[in-house]
Amino acid sequence: MSGERRPMQAVQDRAETVGPGVFLAIVGASGVGKDALLSYARERLDERAVRFPRRVITRPAGAGEDHEPIGEAEFAEACERNAFAVWWRAHGLGYGIPAAVDGDILAGRAVVANVSRGVLGALAVRYERFVVVRVTLSDDVRAQRLRGRGREAPHDIAQRLARVDPAPHHPVDVEIRNDGTLAEGGQALVRAILRART
């Protein structure tokens, strides 16, 4: 598998896992609606108890996901100084979750983030309480959504549709079939977050 399609990860070495809060990793193939579900949940949950960190991505600001844009050189430097709790590369881009989320976990909050399935193992080692929520959708509807969001060229869409799950055997705690309405999928995510906090 080429480096382009293999997520990479880096987690700062530590003697202990971070707790007592919980990290919820939202995973699923491109186009299944993860960002829409996260936005729905963010609007309905108390930000003092649940945090939704912005991902750092080596992509310019624009339509689509709300993220913190960063240049390639700056991203590499941030990885070197352990500025990310976890980072990976996929689809020609670098992605990172700011290490500041550790403070939220230490304060007992829930942190909810869209991550690559390839970094689940690293996150499970880093956090004392770790929950995986997988979002799924039929292939036909996913292809329509990828084309409809207007973020990728046809070739890039084909690559996303063909991408192999980098962690096919990692345990999943909650599965959300997102082929209904936004409210149905969003409420399922809200319930998963509230359960994880108890």
Side-chain angles (χ1 to χ4, degrees), residues 131-151:
V131 174
V132 179
V133 179
R134 180 168 59 198
V135 182
T136 63
L137 186 66
S138 70
D139 290 342
D140 289 343
V141 175
R142 186 162 72 94
Q144 292 173 12
R145 288 187 182 177
L146 283 170
R147 288 191 292 268
R149 69 186 186 180
R151 206 157 72 195

Side-chain angles (χ1 to χ4, degrees), residues 103-128:
D104 291 312
I105 297 291
L106 287 166
R109 300 184 182 96
V111 171
V112 187
N114 174 3
V115 304
S116 168
R117 291 159 290 179
V119 298
L120 293 178
L123 288 167
V125 169
R126 189 180 184 97
Y127 296 109
E128 182 179 306

Side-chain angles (χ1 to χ4, degrees), residues 92-104:
L93 300 169
Y95 298 78
I97 303 296
V101 301
D102 284 1
D104 291 312

Side-chain angles (χ1 to χ4, degrees), residues 27-197:
V27 299
S30 294
V32 298
K34 299 184 297 292
D35 290 332
L37 298 186
L38 285 165
S39 294
Y40 182 99
R42 183 187 299 114
E43 292 171 2
R44 288 158 177 82
L45 292 170
D46 186 346
E47 65 179 13
R48 293 169 297 181
V50 183
R51 296 294 173 87
F52 296 83
R54 291 176 77 202
R55 297 196 299 182
V56 176
I57 307 178
T58 58
R59 178 172 60 209
E65 176 191 355
D66 178 30
H67 67 281
E68 187 70 36
I70 191 173
E72 285 287 354
E74 189 181 0
F75 182 83
E77 189 271 335
C79 292
E80 287 294 320
R81 60 182 169 84
N82 293 314
F84 301 126
V86 66
W87 64 268
W88 65 95
R89 295 199 67 90
H91 314 300
L93 300 169
Y95 298 78
I97 303 296
V101 301
D102 284 1
D104 291 312
I105 297 291
L106 287 166
R109 300 184 182 96
V111 171
V112 187
N114 174 3
V115 304
S116 168
R117 291 159 290 179
V119 298
L120 293 178
L123 288 167
V125 169
R126 189 180 184 97
Y127 296 109
E128 182 179 306
R129 296 175 59 210
F130 179 60
V131 174
V132 179
V133 179
R134 180 168 59 198
V135 182
T136 63
L137 186 66
S138 70
D139 290 342
D140 289 343
V141 175
R142 186 162 72 94
Q144 292 173 12
R145 288 187 182 177
L146 283 170
R147 288 191 292 268
R149 69 186 186 180
R151 206 157 72 195
E152 298 93 4
H155 173 73
D156 295 325
I157 290 173
Q159 283 189 327
R160 286 177 181 265
L161 290 170
R163 185 176 177 219
V164 176
D165 186 341
H169 304 300
H170 195 285
V172 172
D173 301 290
V174 179
E175 182 152 340
I176 298 174
R177 179 78 175 179
N178 194 29
D179 51 3
T181 65
L182 174 59
E184 289 170 338
Q187 283 298 321
L189 179 56
V190 168
R191 289 192 297 271
I193 295 168
L194 293 176
R195 281 197 302 270
R197 291 199 66 241

